[in-house]
Amino acid sequence: MDHLLQIEKGNPSEIEIQNEEMDRISHLPEFIVHRILSSVQVPRVELVRMSVLSKTWFHLTASFPVLDFNILFFQSKRQSFFEYVEYTTSRFCHHDVAAHTFKLVTTIQEPAELDIVNRCIELVLNKGVQELIIIVINPSERLRLPNTLLSVSMLKSLIIESCELPSSLMADVVRFKSLIRLELGNVPVDDEAIKHLTKICPLLQEFHIHCCYDFKRLCIYGHQNIQKVLITGNTQVELIDIDAPNLSTLSIGDTYLRGDTYQREAPRVNLALCKKLTTVTYCGNPLPDSYGFTGFLSNFPFIENLILVTKYKCNYLKWSSHSLKTLVLQSDCDLEEIEFNAPNLVLFIYTCDFNLLWPIVMNERWPLLRDSPHLKSCMQYYPGDIDTLWFQKLRRFLDKENGYKVLNLYIRATCSQELTELEKLKAIELPPYELEHLELQLDESSAHVAFVDAILWCCRPRSLALRSFFNLTALEKQSDLIEFTYKKLLEQEDEGHTKINIVWSSSSKAQKQLRDLKSLSMATSREGKTVTFIKEEVLQEEAG
C-alpha cells in the first residue's frame, strides 16, 4: 500500500486522460458526486486510486466526507497505514468542512501509533463529524477518547470498541444533543456512567453494550426516544430497570454460549412501563431453580416475538402468553418437557443446534417462512438424533393445545438414524394429527422411507412437500421415496374419495402441475428440487 501515499502526494496533472469527454461525473456538482460515492460505499483505498484520473477527481476524493481506515487492508505494513491515515485526515480537514463519517479499525502497538490516532481524532472532532467509529483490536496501548468528543453537537452515531470514554464524561455540562445510536464494546463503564450516558443523550434510539464487565445494573429512567437496548457478550448484569415508553426491542446475551455452560441467575427485570416492548432475546444458562426461564419470562407479558437460547438442559419449560406471535427456542429440552399456552402463536422455531440460530440472534433476521402461503400456526423444527421414541414425543407435543396447522422438519444425515421398531410405534393407539401442510427438508441419507413412514403415523396432512436440502437433484434419485410417499398419503384417506395432485418445482415461479406418478417420471425435472403432494376430494361424478 506504499504506492497509495505516493499517488496522493504526487501531481495528478501529469497523468493524461485520453477521453476526457467521457468523464461526465467530474462535471457534476461536488455534493452530488459525494452522494454517489456514499451510496456505492467505495472503499477508501479505491478512492485514492480514482484520484489519479484527473485534477477534479483528486479534489473530489480529498473532500469526500467519509474517512474509512482499516489496517487489515494494509497487509501488515503498519508504518504505511499510520502515515496514510494521518496524511489523508490532514488533507481532508484542510478543506475546513465537517466529516460525515470517521471510521478507524486498527491495532495499536506502540506510543507513536497512539499519538497519530489521537491527533487524527482531534482533527476530525474539531471540524465536526456525524458518525464516529473507533475499533481497536487487541490493544497493547489503551486509547482514551479526547474530551473534545463531548462538544461535538452534530454527532449522531458513536461506536467504540476497546477504548476509554473521555475523562470529563460525568460533567453536568456534557450533552449529546443529536446522538441517536451508541455502541460500547469492551469499554470500562460502571453503573453510574451507563445511567449518565442515557441521560445526556435525549434523542438516543439504539443503545448496545457489548462485553463491558464493570457494570451490574442497567437503569434507564424517563427516556422518551430509546427504542432498542442490546446487552451482549460475557456480561454480569444483575438488574435491568427501564422506564422508556417507546422501547420495542430488548436483547440480553447473558453469557457466551459457544462452548460456555456457566450457570447463574437470570437478571432481575423491571419493564412494567415499557408498553411498546414487542421483541425480546435472551441467551443464557439460568440456574435450575424455581425461577429459571419460567420466572424470567413472566417479566414480559405483552411481547410478540421471543428468542430463547440456552445450552443448559432445562428440567421443565412452561409459560403462558396471549400476545406471543413468534417463538424461537434453542435448547436441549425434550419436547415432552416444553409446555406453553400461546393461542395467538404464528410461528414456533425449535432446534438443538445453536449454530442454526446464531444468524437470527445476531442479526434479528426472522425466517423467510413468514412469507409462506401456508403461514397458519407453523412449527419449524430442527431435531437432533431421531429414533422411534422421538416420534412418540412429537405426536404428544402436537396435542398440547397449540393448534399447529403447518409443520416444517429439517432432517440431516447426521441425525437421520436407521429407524427400528416402527411396528411398536404404530401399535400406540393415537390418531394421526391433522395438518394443513407438512414440509420435509431432506438430505441424501438412506433412512428417508422409514422416516416418512413414521412421520405419516404422526400426522395426516392435506398437503406434503419433499424438499431436497443440499443437492438440487437429490429427490430425482429418490423415486422410491416419492412413490412411497404418494401411496402412504392415499392410504390415509377413504379409498376412491381422494386424489393427489403433484407439483414439481424449483421455485414459487417455476412449477409444473402433474396429475400422477407416471407424469412425474416423464417430466424433465433436473431443475426441480421440491415435490409437493396435494390431496383433493374426488367429486361423485369423477368417482363414478
Side-chain angles (χ1 to χ4, degrees), residues 343-382:
N344 294 307
L345 192 70
V346 175
L347 177 60
F348 172 43
I349 302 175
Y350 181 49
T351 179
C352 301
D353 188 346
F354 177 70
N355 292 319
L356 290 173
L357 287 188
W358 186 247
I360 300 177
V361 173
M362 293 302 296
N363 302 312
E364 297 179 351
R365 294 179 181 173
W366 296 99
L368 296 179
L369 190 62
R370 284 180 173 274
D371 300 325
S372 168
H374 301 287
L375 191 55
K376 294 182 179 179
S377 188
C378 175
M379 178 179 176
Q380 188 170 310
Y381 191 7
Y382 302 78

Side-chain angles (χ1 to χ4, degrees), residues 84-315:
Y84 167 63
V85 172
E86 187 169 32
Y87 174 75
T88 306
T89 304
S90 299
R91 192 180 71 151
F92 173 81
C93 292
H94 180 71
H95 287 76
D96 199 27
V97 295
H100 179 278
T101 301
F102 182 84
K103 180 179 180 180
L104 176 64
V105 180
T106 186
T107 57
I108 300 177
Q109 295 183 355
E110 55 186 55
E113 296 172 349
L114 183 62
D115 290 342
I116 291 175
V117 171
N118 278 324
R119 286 198 298 271
C120 292
I121 293 175
E122 283 275 11
L123 277 173
V124 171
L125 293 179
N126 284 327
K127 298 296 181 181
V129 62
Q130 294 186 41
E131 296 184 7
L132 181 65
I133 305 168
I134 308 293
I135 299 174
V136 183
I137 306 169
N138 299 324
S140 56
E141 294 285 338
R142 197 77 176 187
L143 171 66
R144 179 182 285 277
L145 297 179
N147 290 325
T148 316
L149 172 68
L150 305 175
S151 60
V152 183
S153 60
M154 63 188 300
L155 189 65
K156 294 182 178 180
S157 177
L158 176 61
I159 301 173
I160 59 173
E161 185 170 330
S162 299
C163 304
E164 294 185 11
L165 292 166
S167 57
S168 59
L169 173 69
M170 301 300 288
D172 292 337
V173 294
V174 175
R175 192 171 180 85
F176 287 115
K177 297 180 180 179
S178 304
L179 198 66
I180 295 174
R181 180 182 181 189
L182 176 60
E183 295 189 20
L184 307 177
N186 190 23
V187 174
V189 59
D190 59 19
D191 298 357
E192 288 303 313
I194 292 284
K195 191 175 179 180
H196 184 71
L197 272 170
T198 57
K199 181 179 177 181
I200 65 176
C201 304
L203 299 184
L204 190 65
Q205 296 180 12
E206 183 174 337
F207 189 20
H208 185 180
I209 310 171
H210 177 67
C211 290
C212 297
Y213 306 102
D214 297 332
F215 79 101
K216 304 291 184 182
R217 300 160 64 93
L218 176 67
C219 300
I220 303 175
Y221 299 137
H223 203 296
Q224 299 299 312
N225 291 294
I226 198 162
Q227 299 173 16
K228 182 183 294 187
V229 174
L230 298 93
I231 309 169
T232 59
N234 192 17
T235 61
Q236 299 295 320
V237 62
E238 298 173 355
L239 172 66
I240 299 173
D241 189 1
I242 301 178
D243 169 10
N246 290 300
L247 182 70
S248 62
T249 301
L250 174 65
S251 181
I252 306 169
D254 192 39
T255 59
Y256 273 129
L257 291 173
R258 294 187 176 219
D260 186 0
T261 56
Y262 171 75
Q263 291 178 250
R264 70 181 197 90
E265 291 184 4
R268 291 176 291 121
V269 176
N270 180 13
L271 301 166
L273 299 178
C274 301
K275 301 298 184 181
K276 294 185 179 180
L277 182 63
T278 58
T279 301
V280 171
T281 299
Y282 177 66
C283 304
N285 301 316
L287 291 169
D289 55 14
S290 58
Y291 187 68
F293 265 144
T294 303
F296 179 75
L297 293 174
S298 65
N299 293 290
F300 315 108
F302 305 115
I303 60 170
E304 297 180 1
N305 307 306
L306 176 62
I307 302 177
L308 291 177
V309 182
T310 183
K311 281 202 168 185
Y312 173 69
K313 186 172 181 178
C314 307
N315 294 329

